[in-house]
Amino acid sequence: MTSSTTTEQTPSTRRRRLRAPSFSVQIIGSLVLGVLLGWWALSMGTVDDGTPEGGANWLTTTLDTIGSSFVLLLRTLVPPLVFTAIVASITNLRHVADGARLAAKTLMWFAITALVSVAVGIALGVIMRPGQNTTLDIADGSEPSRTGSWLDFLDSLLPANFLGLGANTSTQVAESGSVTASTSLSFNVLQIVVMALAVGIAALKVGRKAEPFLTFNRSALEIIQKILWWVIRLAPLGTLGLIGNAIASYGWDLLAPLGTFAAAIYIGLAIVLLVLYPVLLRINGLRVLSYFRGAWPAIQLAFVSRSSIGTLPLTQRVTERNLGVPSAYASFAVPLGATTKMDGCASIYPAISAIFVAQIFGIDLSVTDYLLIAFVSVIGSAATAGLTGAIVMLTLTLSTLGLPLAGVGLLLAIDPILDMGRTAVNVAGQVLVPVIVAKREGILDEEQYRAATSEDLFADDDEAEAEAVVEDAQAESRTPVTVGAPTVTGAPVPEGTDGDRRS
């Protein structure tokens, strides 16, 4: 008699075959769909709302709401995430040799990459001469309402309150003459970093008495990270709204008068991202493809969201989970980089922009001026840490060189389009430096780095949940049961063992 075996499809097998596309495929699909919806919204034009320029149509409004809501959710989680992660990292650095040396080398690599990036920007500004290839008139310029200052660094370091919160009040006057005031809260990540460092160091000094607080902090961090990844799973939807709104709101018509300038910026960003960073990786014995494969989710989200702070949770995630940087180090280096590591906004952009402004106003720059641009780009990013936008960094550069601040107004029309590329390079650098430092210090999980992929970005969480359920079940099965007899733990206790002893 012959027997044949048949494989029966179980429900779990069918579920595996019908599972959703991978995270990276969802992101790419959302990008494509967002571009299509953005062009559709752009072709619909504006609606008549009584203003000369008109109002946004329903599709543009919908895309804007989806994208801004996603970024808002991410930014809401940044303060508690940064605080709890850095406090935990300070205590965990006890187990990482030479934590102070790690911090010093991180800052050193921040400076090295910034210096090379600004050199690229200066070279492109001199070669492409964007200020002499524009149809803009000097009269179109206007001075910005906020300028950068070297004292901003001290202001950013010293928190006004324990939470690092600030309040901005704005007033609006209606046609009827009524005045309405609104107040919005904002947070300064650098101040939160400073406070978390102080609390973490103090906890180490207190010793055993701080253990309950550190245990609470670790639990809070786990809870925050769990909520965070519920939000991150919405990234494809957020990407659709962000890229769609960007195209619908700005289009590409604004690029015409500043085509050479915009091209110089994006060429500079491409050189830094696709040439400089790969060279640094290869010098340090790291595979370039693994880096981009692992960092891609954060770079992509930075491009569409235009927010290093909003991308911070995902940046830290890919640095740890995809690229193998120890959590104890990454939770310190990544938040610090989000406030002070800006190769796009603080190096490429101000260098080319300063040269553009000088050229359009007919001002010749000397070698000393170029050296000043490099100095401001390397040191100035710390001076503007905690402030929003590359415009503040640009005003600091122009002020230091004595160039007209009115030139800033000439660039504002296309700033959102440029900001997408700038932020993507910022975040790519914020991932790169911890990876390089970890490799040079011998603490990088190189096997995890070589296997880097964005496909299983959430796999560890799913496995952790399953393991937690199993551990809870095992703990329950090991719970002692007392029924007026010797303690029973699931198996008889032989005589003469410790289990038979009585106090």
Side-chain angles (χ1 to χ4, degrees):
M1 179 182 296
T2 61
S3 62
S4 61
T5 58
T6 59
T7 302
E8 183 180 352
Q9 275 196 343
T10 63
S12 61
T13 304
R14 289 193 294 269
R15 280 198 299 272
R16 282 196 297 269
R17 290 184 178 180
L18 297 176
R19 72 177 184 176
S22 65
F23 184 74
S24 60
V25 171
Q26 294 178 39
I27 293 292
I28 294 173
S30 299
L31 275 171
V32 174
L33 183 57
V35 169
L36 296 176
L37 290 176
W39 281 116
W40 182 22
L42 188 62
S43 65
M44 292 171 61
T46 59
V47 297
D48 185 9
D49 63 349
T51 60
E53 63 274 7
N57 57 60
W58 67 269
L59 182 53
T60 301
T61 302
T62 302
L63 293 171
D64 179 39
T65 302
I66 293 174
S68 60
S69 298
F70 174 69
V71 174
L72 182 62
L73 287 173
L74 284 176
R75 288 177 60 88
T76 301
L77 293 169
V78 166
L81 173 69
V82 170
F83 184 87
T84 55
I86 288 184
V87 170
S89 72
I90 292 298
T91 57
N92 291 338
L93 279 177
R94 290 177 297 181
H95 310 296
V96 179
D98 297 325
R101 189 177 68 188
L102 279 176
K105 288 198 171 184
T106 301
L107 294 174
M108 181 189 73
W109 277 98
F110 282 178
I112 291 173
T113 52
L115 184 60
V116 179
S117 298
V118 73
V120 170
I122 292 174
L124 286 172
V126 172
I127 294 171
M128 299 185 67
R129 306 187 69 81
Q132 296 181 359
N133 295 282
T134 179
T135 59
L136 290 177
D137 193 306
I138 295 178
D140 296 333
S142 60
E143 293 194 14
S145 58
R146 179 71 173 91
T147 59
S149 167
W150 290 100
L151 294 177
D152 287 331
F153 180 56
L154 295 178
D155 293 338
S156 298
L157 279 178
L158 302 176
N161 53 72
F162 182 76
L163 299 177
L165 293 175
N168 300 316
T169 303
S170 60
T171 58
Q172 293 182 342
V173 181
E175 295 181 357
S176 60
S178 60
V179 179
T180 58
S182 60
T183 301
S184 60
L185 294 177
S186 60
F187 57 86
N188 186 312
V189 175
L190 187 59
Q191 293 180 2
I192 297 175
V193 169
V194 171
M195 289 184 295
L197 287 172
V199 171
I201 294 172
L204 289 179
K205 296 295 183 181
V206 170
R208 293 180 57 186
K209 292 182 179 180
E211 284 302 322
F213 167 75
L214 295 178
T215 301
F216 169 78
N217 183 81
R218 287 191 292 267
S219 298
L221 177 59
E222 291 293 329
I223 294 172
I224 293 166
Q225 287 177 331
K226 177 56 63 179
I227 298 174
L228 170 66
W229 293 111
W230 292 343
V231 176
I232 290 297
R233 289 177 187 267
L234 300 176
L237 184 61
T239 297
L240 183 149
L242 289 165
I243 195 68
N245 179 62
I247 293 177
S249 300
Y250 306 108
W252 300 105
D253 294 337
L254 295 173
L255 286 174
L258 291 166
T260 305
F261 173 75
I265 295 292
Y266 268 94
I267 290 174
L269 295 173
I271 291 174
V272 170
L273 181 63
L274 303 178
V275 178
L276 172 61
Y277 290 173
V279 167
L280 293 176
L281 288 167
R282 293 302 301 166
I283 289 175
N284 288 279
L286 294 167
R287 293 177 55 185
V288 175
L289 183 59
S290 295
Y291 164 78
F292 282 106
R293 202 165 51 210
W296 158 249
I299 296 173
Q300 175 273 330
L301 181 58
F303 181 83
V304 296
S305 68
R306 297 167 45 210
S307 173
S308 293
I309 299 301
T311 313
L312 172 60
L314 187 56
T315 306
Q316 185 169 328
R317 177 70 164 203
V318 301
T319 304
E320 297 175 10
R321 299 295 182 91
N322 289 358
L323 298 175
V325 178
S327 177
Y329 169 53
S331 56
F332 163 78
V334 175
L336 181 64
T339 58
T340 59
K341 175 63 181 163
M342 299 178 284
D343 289 341
C345 289
S347 297
I348 293 290
Y349 180 74
I352 296 178
S353 299
I355 295 173
F356 169 86
V357 171
Q359 291 172 352
I360 202 171
F361 281 92
I363 301 173
D364 293 327
L365 297 178
S366 64
V367 175
T368 303
D369 292 324
Y370 292 126
L371 292 176
L372 273 176
I373 292 175
F375 173 78
V376 175
S377 297
V378 175
I379 307 299
S381 57
T384 57
L387 301 177
T388 304
I391 296 300
V392 174
M393 184 64 195
L394 174 58
T395 59
L396 177 65
T397 306
L398 296 181
S399 300
T400 304
L401 295 174
L403 296 175
L405 291 180
V408 176
L410 299 171
L411 309 176
L412 291 178
I414 63 168
D415 187 69
I417 297 173
L418 303 179
D419 196 29
M420 293 190 291
R422 292 192 311 241
T423 310
V425 172
N426 290 346
V427 168
Q430 292 159 18
V431 176
L432 176 84
V433 170
V435 169
I436 290 178
V437 173
K439 174 63 167 64
R440 296 176 71 90
E441 292 297 305
I443 59 175
L444 182 71
D445 187 338
E446 296 192 43
E447 182 178 351
Q448 186 175 355
Y449 177 88
R450 286 191 294 269
T453 175
S454 60
E455 305 299 320
D456 57 350
L457 191 61
F458 306 101
D460 290 344
D461 292 294
D462 296 335
E463 292 173 4
E465 288 180 3
E467 290 175 1
V469 172
V470 172
E471 288 177 359
D472 290 343
Q474 291 176 344
E476 290 180 2
S477 67
R478 292 193 299 267
T479 301
V481 179
T482 303
V483 287
T487 302
V488 178
T489 60
V493 181
E495 294 183 2
T497 64
D498 291 342
D500 281 338
R501 294 173 186 166
R502 300 290 183 268
S503 58

